[in-house]
Amino acid sequence: MSYSITQWNPFQELEAFANRLGKLINPIGDRRVLDASSVWTPAVDVYEDDKEYHIKVEIPGVKADDFKVTVEQGRLHIAGERKYEKTDKNTSAHRIERFYGSFSRSFALPDDADANSIQAKYQDGVLNLHIPKLPAAQPRTIKVIST
């Protein structure tokens, strides 16, 4: 006879219960629309190469003018808003899964980031930030003089 040991996760059971309960209460799906004051967080990828840091923020459906990118006290702030597209009065939404409203992300800049040379480009629903690295300080030899 063989037994397998599995680790019990009470949160997984709680989540499954909440999903079943939600389907009982509203079998068609969630019909609510988040209002303009709701806050959401767009997906972000951060990586680096030898010359710069890269941040990619996935924000489809937002105009470039609706972003605000600032640098303050060693932090990079990205904020904006995705507005809900209202349809005409004869149309009713059956399912709304995309988030709408204000969003904000903030990142600590590394010590070697050149905050004065950051470039931001928005294309195909992705905000690309390029943060160049400052030239590395080269070690220098100091001659010791005997007194």
Side-chain angles (χ1 to χ4, degrees), residues 46-98:
V46 180
Y47 56 97
E48 72 174 291
D49 59 28
D50 293 341
K51 296 181 181 180
E52 62 185 359
Y53 297 96
H54 304 270
I55 298 177
K56 289 187 174 190
V57 187
E58 191 174 273
I59 316 174
V62 177
K63 296 177 184 167
D65 295 339
D66 292 337
F67 294 112
K68 183 178 181 183
V69 180
T70 58
V71 176
E72 182 179 355
Q73 297 179 351
R75 296 196 65 81
L76 175 71
H77 302 280
I78 305 164
E81 181 179 359
R82 180 162 51 198
K83 296 177 175 104
Y84 179 68
E85 305 141 1
K86 297 193 187 251
T87 57
D88 66 34
K89 295 177 183 176
N90 298 328
T91 304
S92 61
H94 290 280
R95 187 173 199 93
I96 304 294
E97 292 186 353
R98 296 186 301 156

Side-chain angles (χ1 to χ4, degrees), residues 129-143:
L129 296 161
H130 298 274
I131 306 162
K133 291 182 179 180
L134 293 168
Q138 298 298 320
R140 63 183 179 107
T141 304
I142 299 170
K143 184 176 182 181

Side-chain angles (χ1 to χ4, degrees), residues 109-121:
L109 291 173
D111 291 336
D112 64 343
D114 185 356
N116 295 322
S117 301
I118 296 174
Q119 294 181 358
K121 296 177 185 171

Side-chain angles (χ1 to χ4, degrees), residues 99-115:
F99 290 98
Y100 297 91
S102 299
F103 60 86
S104 177
R105 295 297 304 258
S106 183
F107 303 92
L109 291 173
D111 291 336
D112 64 343
D114 185 356

